[in-house]
Amino acid sequence: MDLRSLFSHPIIQGPMAGGCNTPALVAAVSNAGALGALAGSLLAPEKLRHQVNDIRSLTDKPFLVNLFVQPLPHPTKEEVAHAVELLRPVWSSLGWPDLALPFRWCEDFGAQLDMLISLKPAAASFTFDILAPQQVQRLHAAGILVIGTATRVDEAVAWQAAGADAVIASGIESGGHRGTFIGDQRDATLGAVELLQAVVAAVRIPVISAGNIMTGADIRARLALGATAVQMGTAFLVTDESGIHPAYKHRLQHAGNAPTRLTRAFSGRYARGLENRFMQQMADVEDQVPPYPVQNALTGPIRFEAAKRGDSELMSLWCGTGVGRARRMSAARLVETLVMEMQQP
């Protein structure tokens, strides 16, 4: 099995964690001939099993599951207290006397990986770090195609050495979290086109291009530069099946020329989204917040309350630089539209 066998059209729906992804979205994309992707990174193993079963009740086509490669963190009480204090201007503005601490910082990646292997999706993609070759071998033994994420050329080379079947070249324009795992996240600054060309020249495995891809013409241009497929997240965020909050979807649909930027204030890892009040309030201290997943867990109650109130100023509005070109329609219609545009001269 190779990457091209998983789809009729070289379009992969970006896995978008935090409720954006729904089994209905994943299945609709795969049923349309592209490759749907389930964001499993924030799901407990049993929840992951449940969502995969839901997808399989809606499609018999291939789909992939994405996980964050990360160890369980062990922050000190002092580190947590300092992070809570940095967030005080935000949580106190909600009228709270204090910030409730989470029961856990993140899901156990080892347990998630075991569950993923037992579920045997057609493919799995990974970000935030790299798998050990032995883990890649376990996935291959289960018949699962392995896709790594790279924001730098040396990361793509490392994924090839680990035995990955393909690699996503994620340019600086991409929405959501950066997948950098070699060097400082701030140094991974290559644009999607430049990164694609450099990665294609450096590896033998198929390369998937990600970042500022919104139309069929964009896809055609990336394929001409050597991409085997593209991964599109922001374009699918505003589809009918997307599970994001209505206020979030409204902001994306009316983004126009509103700026996106990278921030680590929400989660402790650089991620791109629409600028809002939360980003602005935390701008002076975001370099001090603890790394993902601790900061992500600490801001969870704030983001949950913002969703309850419909206040997009305190939500993480992840999206890429191409958000102004996003089009509201069903996921199947979007795939159909992209394919038609690809075929135009």
Side-chain angles (χ1 to χ4, degrees), residues 69-75 104-111 292-294:
V69 183
Q70 59 185 345
L72 291 171
H74 300 283
R104 64 166 67 100
W105 299 115
C106 65
E107 297 296 332
D108 184 324
F109 171 69
Y292 192 99
V294 174

Side-chain angles (χ1 to χ4, degrees), residues 221-234:
R222 301 297 172 89
L223 298 180
L225 292 174
T228 298
V230 300
Q231 180 171 278
M232 303 173 67
T234 302

Side-chain angles (χ1 to χ4, degrees), residues 40 43-46 48-49 67 70 72 107-119 135 138:
L43 303 179
E46 282 304 316
L48 180 60
R49 181 202 298 275
L67 292 179
Q70 59 185 345
L72 291 171
E107 297 296 332
D108 184 324
F109 171 69
Q112 290 178 316
L113 183 64
D114 289 344
M115 176 59 74
L116 185 149
I117 289 172
S118 74
L119 294 170
Q135 292 170 316
R138 286 183 63 202

Side-chain angles (χ1 to χ4, degrees), residues 16-335:
M16 300 164 288
C20 313
N21 247 165
T22 62
L25 173 60
V26 178
V29 172
S30 289
N31 283 332
L35 184 65
L38 174 67
S41 50
L42 303 182
L43 303 179
E46 282 304 316
K47 183 70 171 177
L48 180 60
R49 181 202 298 275
H50 180 73
Q51 293 213 5
V52 166
N53 288 341
D54 284 350
I55 295 167
R56 285 179 166 149
S57 74
L58 298 170
T59 185
D60 59 359
K61 303 291 187 183
F63 59 91
L64 70 80
V65 174
N66 173 264
L67 292 179
F68 296 162
V69 183
Q70 59 185 345
L72 291 171
H74 300 283
T76 66
K77 289 183 179 179
E78 293 75 18
E79 289 168 337
V80 173
H82 180 58
V84 169
E85 191 60 30
L86 292 175
L87 283 165
R88 178 180 289 274
V90 181
W91 56 258
S92 63
S93 73
L94 295 169
W96 295 349
D98 51 38
L99 180 65
L101 298 182
F103 294 109
R104 64 166 67 100
W105 299 115
C106 65
E107 297 296 332
D108 184 324
F109 171 69
Q112 290 178 316
L113 183 64
D114 289 344
M115 176 59 74
L116 185 149
I117 289 172
S118 74
L119 294 170
K120 296 181 171 60
S125 66
F126 299 91
T127 190
F128 288 14
D129 208 339
I130 190 168
L131 296 178
Q134 295 84 353
Q135 292 170 316
V136 174
Q137 291 165 12
R138 286 183 63 202
L139 289 153
H140 283 164
I144 302 169
L145 188 140
V146 176
I147 302 171
T149 303
T151 61
R152 301 160 46 117
V153 176
D154 49 359
E155 292 174 343
V157 172
W159 269 111
Q160 178 175 266
D165 301 286
V167 66
I168 300 159
S170 179
I172 194 70
E173 306 95 333
S174 299
H177 285 98
R178 302 291 286 144
T180 307
F181 62 91
I182 294 178
D184 192 306
Q185 293 172 41
R186 291 169 294 187
D187 294 335
T189 58
L190 286 183
V193 169
E194 186 180 0
L195 180 64
L196 169 63
Q197 292 173 305
V199 171
V200 166
V203 301
R204 300 179 304 279
I205 57 177
V207 180
I208 301 159
S209 183
N212 196 25
I213 303 167
M214 303 298 293
T215 68
D218 296 337
I219 298 171
R220 193 168 64 242
R222 301 297 172 89
L223 298 180
L225 292 174
T228 298
V230 300
Q231 180 171 278
M232 303 173 67
T234 302
F236 285 97
L237 274 175
V238 298
T239 57
D240 299 341
E241 295 88 350
S242 166
I244 64 174
H245 191 282
Y248 180 2
K249 191 173 286 189
H250 179 82
R251 286 286 294 269
L252 298 187
Q253 287 177 263
H254 298 87
N257 295 319
T260 66
R261 72 173 177 86
L262 293 168
T263 180
R264 64 187 302 273
F266 278 108
S267 72
R269 174 176 275 271
Y270 281 102
R272 181 176 296 281
L274 283 177
E275 189 168 34
N276 60 5
R277 188 169 76 247
F278 184 100
M279 283 194 199
Q280 292 161 358
Q281 282 186 279
M282 295 293 293
D284 291 339
V285 298
E286 70 173 79
D287 287 346
Q288 301 177 47
V289 305
Y292 192 99
V294 174
Q295 179 73 0
N296 192 63
L298 290 174
T299 64
I302 296 170
R303 290 177 282 118
F304 182 78
E305 181 65 21
K308 281 173 58 178
R309 300 185 186 192
D311 182 3
S312 61
E313 291 299 326
L314 297 181
M315 297 177 185
S316 47
L317 305 174
W318 303 140
C319 61
T321 59
V323 61
R325 298 189 288 147
R327 299 172 284 190
R328 178 73 182 270
M329 60 184 76
S330 72
R333 178 69 186 280
L334 177 58
V335 173

